[in-house]
Amino acid sequence: TGMEYRLLFRDQSQTSIIGTVIYVLPGSPAAQAGIRRGDIFTRVNGQTLTNANFSQLLNSNADSYNFTFARVVNNTLTENAPARTVQA
């Protein structure tokens, strides 16, 4: 996809996970989709990332991935549309 990310637990229960984009390769599918360093994603292909499913969702050998992004607003993580699709 042309992006590197770091996964972090979203809450104290350590069940929900978010991804933070740490690098986007210039000219890559991720860059063409408008993804930038510092972006936060919470869902992949419509499914919320959890401790139980993150590996399957992010390492599925799919032809494309649909990422739902979020921003921190007033110390609260809020999903914002539109989701962005990235070709693998």
Side-chain angles (χ1 to χ4, degrees), residues 19-35:
T20 60
V21 178
I22 57 175
Y23 181 76
V24 178
L25 184 66
S28 69
Q32 292 172 1
I35 297 172

Side-chain angles (χ1 to χ4, degrees), residues 12-88:
Q12 293 292 337
S13 68
Q14 297 187 349
T15 54
S16 295
I17 292 178
I18 60 170
T20 60
V21 178
I22 57 175
Y23 181 76
V24 178
L25 184 66
S28 69
Q32 292 172 1
I35 297 172
R36 297 175 294 161
R37 181 176 186 224
D39 283 348
I40 300 168
F41 60 93
T42 57
R43 298 175 190 258
V44 177
N45 299 332
Q47 295 186 49
T48 301
L49 290 168
T50 67
N51 201 24
N53 71 6
F54 76 90
S55 182
Q56 176 188 359
L57 290 172
L58 294 168
N59 301 309
S60 69
N61 293 329
D63 290 335
S64 66
Y65 296 88
N66 186 277
F67 293 95
T68 301
F69 287 87
R71 292 188 181 201
V72 177
V73 178
N74 295 326
N75 294 324
T76 302
L77 191 63
T78 305
E79 290 182 349
N80 57 333
R84 294 181 223 146
T85 300
V86 177
Q87 299 301 315

